[in-house]
């Protein structure tokens, strides 16, 4: 057995070495994301993104909704790697062109933000981190909480269109399936309830909800809310090119708040998943709690957003830093 003095010296030496040697996380290596990843390589990155989000929001209010929905569609499909942004090529379909991406928009403004960051720090900040940070700042624009987020993501090189249906939770699925898909990302039941609170803002296209109105009105809908829905969605088969929609929350449509939970408890949710959330025994207690407390909603929403945005990122030497967000570098460099 080694003398106690030698053991103490060994432990002390190891501790001193740990203090003097930067951790892999601090150096942005393969072990994951860190706070302020760009503090040495592009210290202005987060401020530039925040300013661009503010400017775009002043000109186009719907950009904040887009940032939030786009990042959900990106991170929920295997990885937060900005694969959503890639255009179709001769060999692969873009995720943007799948049926599940109907209504996604404002991708060109992500390029606007990317160009602003590139002017300051060429080839340093990933499109994946720009997606995440623009969503965070968009949440603030909508009156939601500021959420501290780690960075250091890198960009994927391929579309994940072939697995969108497998991984992306759908508003017409059973609540069990929705809970399972989010659970696979490490998000628990109160976290799922909080994330769906994003339905507090934005709008739902008629094509997504007419099955609740035609040929018969869903008896679960609040009858006082039905006339408004019918007025906004007068056709059983809406023209997909027409801009026909219903605001998710008629009371505070531009504010991320807990009014959503009061609405769905009053059977005014537009989507099947909204109705299930308010009535399933696993989720209803949290719906009621969030309806009573916006602080609780924001707390759980912030926690769940951080988990969603850290879903299986590419870090270290994996992936790449795209020059242009809609094209992988190998295609970008082709003549």
């Amino acid at each position: 057995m080694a003398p106690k003095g030698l053991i103490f010296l060994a432990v002390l030496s190891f501790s001193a070495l740990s203090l003097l040697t930067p951790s892999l996380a601090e150096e942005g290596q393969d072990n994951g994301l860190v706070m302020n990843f760009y503090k040495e390589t592009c210290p202005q990155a987060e401020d530039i993104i925040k300013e661009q989000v503010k400017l775009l929001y002043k000109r186009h209010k719907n950009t904040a909704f887009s940032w939030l929905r786009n990042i959900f569609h990106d991170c929920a499909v295997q990885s937060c790697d900005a694969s959503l942004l890639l255009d179709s090529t001769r060999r692969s379909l873009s995720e943007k062109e799948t049926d599940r991406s109907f209504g996604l928009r404002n991708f060109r403004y992500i390029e606007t933000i990317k160009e602003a960051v590139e002017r300051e720090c060429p080839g340093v900040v990933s499109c994946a981190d720009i997606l995440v940070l623009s969503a965070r700042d968009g949440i603030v624009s909508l009156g939601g909480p500021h959420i501290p987020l780690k960075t250091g993501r890198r960009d994927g090189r391929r579309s994940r269109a072939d697995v969108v249906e497998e991984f992306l939770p759908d508003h017409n699925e059973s609540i069990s399936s929705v809970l399972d898909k989010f659970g696979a990302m490490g998000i628990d039941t109160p976290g799922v309830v909080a994330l769906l609170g994003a339905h507090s803002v934005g709008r739902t296209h008629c094509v997504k909800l007419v099955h609740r109105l035609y040929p018969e009105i869903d008896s679960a809908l609040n009858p006082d809310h039905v006339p408004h829905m019918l007025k906004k969605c007068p056709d059983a088969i809406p023209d997909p090119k027409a801009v026909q929609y219903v605001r998710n929350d008629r009371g505070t449509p531009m504010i991320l708040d807990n009014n959503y939970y009061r609405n769905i408890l009053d059977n005014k949710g537009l989507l099947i998943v909204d109705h299930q959330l308010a009535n399933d025994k696993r989720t209803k207690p949290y719906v009621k709690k969030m309806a009573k407390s916006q602080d609780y909603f924001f707390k759980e929403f912030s926690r769940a957003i951080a988990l969603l945005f850290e879903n299986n990122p590419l870090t270290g030497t994996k992936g790449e830093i795209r020059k242009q967000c809609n094209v992988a570098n190998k295609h970008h460099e082709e003549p």
Side-chain angles (χ1 to χ4, degrees), residues 21-35 37 150-154 310 312-318:
T21 305
S23 68
L24 290 176
E26 288 172 335
E27 293 182 341
Q29 299 297 322
D30 288 318
N31 64 329
L33 307 173
V34 295
M35 301 299 293
F37 178 81
K150 297 177 181 178
T151 44
R153 296 163 190 78
R154 289 169 65 84
E310 292 181 21
N312 194 31
L314 302 180
T315 58
T317 57
K318 297 176 183 176

Side-chain angles (χ1 to χ4, degrees), residues 138-152:
I139 288 168
V140 173
S141 297
L142 294 168
H146 174 78
I147 306 169
L149 294 175
K150 297 177 181 178
T151 44

